[in-house]
Amino acid sequence: MKFSLPKLMGISLLVLTVLIAVNTTIFAQGMTTAAIQGIVLDQADNPLPGANVIAIHVPSGTTYGASTRTDGRFTIPGMRVGGPYRVTASYVGHEAEVQENIHLSLGVAMNLDFIMREVGVELDEVVVVAPREAIFSSDRTGAATSVSREAIETLPTIDRTIGDFLRLTPQAIVAGRVFGFSFAGQDNRLNNITVDGSYFNNSFGLSGQPGGRTGVAPISMDAIEQIQVNIAPFDVRHGHFIGAGINTVTRSGTNEFTGSVYYQFRNESLVGKEAGELEFDPGEFRYNHIGVRLGGPIIQNRLFFFGSFESDGLTEPGTTFISNPGDLEVGGNVTRVLSSDLDALSNFLRQNLGYETGGYQGYDHETPGTRFLFKLDYNLDDRNKLSLRYTHLDSFTDVLASNSSSLGMGGRRTNLNALNFRNTNYQIKENIRSLVGEWNAIIGENMSNNLIIGYSYHDESRDSPFWDDNDRLFPLVDIREGGSPYTSFGFEPFTPNNELRYWSFQVQNNFTMYLPNHTLTFGFSAERYESENVFFPGSQSVYVYNSLDDFYADAEDYLANPDR
């Protein structure tokens, strides 16, 4: 059966939302940026309206500016995360004040206060260095955790996925490499992942995160600037989740050309062989990972690029279980399945039915992944910033035959009782395309606007390199011995024409007004989601026999009298 869900899942629309913050000492920024806010006073603690506050992102020369309102307060929204920044406050008749080495965290507004001295007083230059620690950071256990670029570069990671850094959140519960993380006791599929402000989820719900179907990272960790995990945010812009909002922003180019080339590998020699008194055989495997990134200016202080490319591949045993030559005790990784039985069965199928079973032990499974990201940042002027980012992932992973008992028999997957043939296994693909554009604008002296438009496409269909058109019509055959699974061959029953593709289009806009005692945000978020799924289990038929003898006897009539 084939169906499309453009209306069922339809358009989800968050109509008008209004946020009123009574105290503006801390106000949450948008999902992709940071902010600076504060007050400018004279030496008598009187507010200085109309003072100029200029913030310069030193690495890129990007300039942000604002003027103080009647109460002396100012807000500079929509700023790049990270730093360092140099922030200067100036006012007619007063000495300019500079605060250096300012670093901003994703989704956090840093408070900077200035006290201006009159020019008539002869003083040395005043330079104030602000503390670098963020309001929310990986060192704290509040409702949100922020992981900086420095932490990403310093902390250890094996999989090179954001999962290794989500562990810093106290409410995180590890659900495995493929299934992601759950937060605060919620199902991991109830998280909302955003990249550069645009939704980036496994929307069909077969995994808790993009890349989870093949266990690979959809975006290189070398391309991520900061990660933020929100558990209970008060800002209405951080929503669409029950577990956690996992918010990431990607890196941008600066006025200097910077880049890196890196390579890493793993193999069985780097794995422990004992667990207490028990021995463990991981089999032979190898993992190779190579990557490159480059960022820099196209036009100094105005237009920047950033690019990242990675290719990795994991080759590991498809199974570490082996058949029994007849004189070994069952246990460890030695099964009860006789080598002579499997060899004879494979030869019989080749000679009489023209079907190739493939091996039953000593074969490998592969999980290759290729990903790249390209991003442009354009400073139109001091008040308007544009960015455009494209993300691309191609990956698949080899998977053992399904163990489900809904067709045939359960337990056919390799274990101490059974060994299935290699050509019964299959592959899952995960290919992702994502494009996001963002516009940040400062309007007048007390207003700002943020517009994000995003599109994503996912392909999670099944396939196999072992099947040709004829094999796709060959049935699955399960053979029992002593009432339990013994071996299986043929076409995996849940995979024929198993196709899954889905895509989404998202638009969100947030307009903010900064009043003397309140901050008002008006906005909307709309998403159109559509999926296409083909699933026809058992379309090529499934047969179950109680013994090899029963199968051989029935094969002359081409599988006419199975037990099931």
Side-chain angles (χ1 to χ4, degrees):
M1 54 185 170
K2 181 176 180 180
F3 57 91
S4 179
L5 303 177
K7 294 183 179 179
L8 182 61
M9 305 299 291
I11 299 176
S12 86
L13 176 62
L14 176 62
V15 221
L16 187 64
T17 58
V18 181
L19 170 67
I20 300 179
V22 177
N23 296 315
T24 58
T25 53
I26 299 178
F27 106 93
Q29 248 301 297
M31 293 189 293
T32 64
T33 59
I36 291 177
Q37 63 182 9
I39 189 170
V40 179
L41 306 171
D42 62 16
Q43 289 178 284
D45 288 337
N46 297 314
L48 296 177
N52 289 320
V53 181
I54 303 297
I56 299 177
H57 183 253
V58 176
S60 67
T62 302
T63 301
Y64 304 85
S67 297
T68 57
R69 301 184 284 274
T70 55
D71 58 356
R73 295 188 178 277
F74 69 92
T75 303
I76 307 178
M79 303 177 68
R80 278 194 186 194
V81 297
Y85 279 88
R86 180 187 303 112
V87 185
T88 303
S90 59
Y91 190 74
V92 176
H94 291 71
E95 189 80 20
E97 183 178 340
V98 180
Q99 298 196 28
E100 300 268 11
N101 200 31
I102 307 298
H103 289 256
L104 304 182
S105 294
L106 174 61
V108 176
M110 175 172 282
N111 285 298
L112 296 180
D113 295 338
F114 295 86
I115 298 178
M116 310 292 291
R117 301 177 185 273
E118 294 184 8
V119 174
V121 180
E122 188 70 28
L123 294 173
D124 295 333
E125 180 183 4
V126 177
V127 177
V128 180
V129 179
R132 185 169 176 172
E133 183 181 14
I135 295 175
F136 296 122
S137 71
S138 57
D139 299 328
R140 303 190 178 186
T141 58
T145 300
S146 183
V147 185
S148 66
R149 180 66 230 168
E150 291 80 1
I152 293 174
E153 292 177 343
T154 303
L155 295 175
T157 171
I158 296 178
D159 290 335
R160 288 184 63 83
T161 67
I162 62 172
D164 288 331
F165 302 95
L166 299 182
R167 302 171 189 268
L168 297 170
T169 304
Q171 298 86 353
I173 301 174
V174 181
R177 177 186 176 207
V178 173
F179 297 103
F181 279 67
S182 65
F183 293 87
Q186 301 297 323
D187 189 289
N188 60 74
R189 291 171 294 182
L190 299 180
N191 300 325
N192 183 32
I193 302 174
T194 61
V195 178
D196 294 328
S198 181
Y199 302 144
F200 194 65
N201 297 299
N202 185 294
S203 301
F204 198 79
L206 294 180
S207 178
Q209 61 189 21
R213 299 287 284 154
T214 55
V216 302
I219 298 177
S220 166
M221 289 305 305
D222 220 43
I224 293 179
E225 179 69 28
Q226 285 194 21
I227 304 169
Q228 183 190 53
V229 180
N230 288 292
I231 302 297
F234 65 86
D235 193 324
V236 294
R237 288 169 289 190
H238 297 269
H240 303 277
F241 66 86
I242 297 177
I246 303 170
N247 184 22
T248 64
V249 291
T250 55
R251 298 176 75 166
S252 298
T254 65
N255 275 333
E256 294 184 358
F257 287 98
T258 60
S260 64
V261 178
Y262 45 93
Y263 172 78
Q264 64 176 8
F265 73 94
R266 296 196 309 271
N267 56 38
E268 68 279 357
S269 64
L270 302 176
V271 176
K273 302 297 193 301
E274 296 180 355
E277 297 180 354
L278 300 176
E279 293 186 356
F280 169 70
D281 181 11
E284 294 183 0
F285 72 92
R286 58 188 180 277
Y287 173 78
N288 295 285
H289 179 107
I290 187 170
V292 60
R293 67 170 172 86
L294 179 65
I298 298 176
I299 302 174
Q300 288 281 331
N301 297 333
R302 293 184 65 84
L303 182 59
F304 310 92
F305 78 92
F306 176 84
S308 169
F309 173 85
E310 283 188 345
S311 178
D312 55 44
L314 173 64
T315 302
E316 59 186 346
T319 175
T320 56
F321 287 96
I322 61 174
S323 61
N324 199 319
D327 56 354
L328 295 179
E329 182 180 352
V330 177
N333 66 335
V334 179
T335 69
R336 66 168 183 156
V337 184
L338 297 177
S339 306
S340 56
D341 285 346
L342 297 184
D343 291 337
L345 178 59
S346 181
N347 290 331
F348 177 87
L349 293 170
R350 181 185 305 111
Q351 295 171 5
N352 294 275
L353 299 178
Y355 176 74
E356 290 290 341
T357 62
Y360 50 83
Q361 64 187 25
Y363 58 86
D364 290 332
H365 276 176
E366 296 183 352
T367 305
T370 300
R371 67 193 65 84
F372 62 84
L373 176 149
F374 187 76
K375 186 177 183 181
L376 291 173
D377 291 272
Y378 185 32
N379 300 330
L380 278 73
D381 51 42
D382 292 349
R383 292 175 172 267
N384 294 275
K385 320 292 182 187
L386 294 176
S387 68
L388 184 67
R389 185 265 298 161
Y390 175 74
T391 300
H392 186 109
L393 171 68
D394 286 328
S395 66
F396 71 81
T397 187
D398 291 322
V399 184
L400 285 172
S402 170
N403 221 24
S404 172
S405 59
S406 62
L407 287 173
M409 63 182 183
R412 71 172 62 91
R413 181 177 293 178
T414 296
N415 53 55
L416 286 178
N417 286 325
L419 273 177
N420 69 281
F421 286 93
R422 181 183 188 180
N423 289 4
T424 306
N425 301 332
Y426 63 96
Q427 289 180 346
I428 292 180
K429 297 189 293 184
E430 181 142 25
N431 300 327
I432 300 175
R433 315 287 185 260
S434 174
L435 181 66
V436 178
E438 181 177 13
W439 174 31
N440 283 290
I442 297 176
I443 306 170
E445 302 303 329
N446 67 334
M447 294 176 289
S448 67
N449 193 76
N450 171 257
L451 172 66
I452 295 176
I453 300 175
Y455 170 82
S456 65
Y457 168 83
H458 301 247
D459 184 355
E460 298 176 14
S461 303
R462 288 190 184 187
D463 203 351
S464 174
F466 310 116
W467 303 329
D468 58 30
D469 291 338
N470 291 328
D471 292 332
R472 289 180 183 275
L473 299 176
F474 200 89
L476 176 81
V477 179
D478 287 328
I479 296 177
R480 299 190 186 110
E481 188 66 43
S484 60
Y486 190 72
T487 190
S488 300
F489 62 87
F491 195 85
E492 206 279 337
F494 302 97
T495 300
N497 297 317
N498 189 333
E499 300 177 18
L500 172 59
R501 289 172 289 274
Y502 54 92
W503 45 94
S504 63
F505 178 78
Q506 175 203 357
V507 179
Q508 61 173 297
N509 192 83
N510 294 291
F511 176 78
T512 304
M513 297 178 62
Y514 309 102
L515 304 180
N517 296 314
H518 304 85
T519 298
L520 304 180
T521 297
F522 304 86
F524 71 89
S525 175
E527 180 185 18
R528 177 179 176 84
Y529 168 81
E530 187 174 350
S531 67
E532 181 182 66
N533 184 211
V534 182
F535 185 49
F536 195 174
S539 61
Q540 88 290 20
S541 72
V542 177
Y543 296 81
V544 180
Y545 288 89
N546 285 325
S547 68
L548 275 170
D549 290 339
D550 286 351
F551 165 74
Y552 285 131
D554 197 38
E556 295 180 359
D557 296 325
Y558 201 74
L559 313 181
N561 300 292
D563 176 66
R564 180 179 176 188

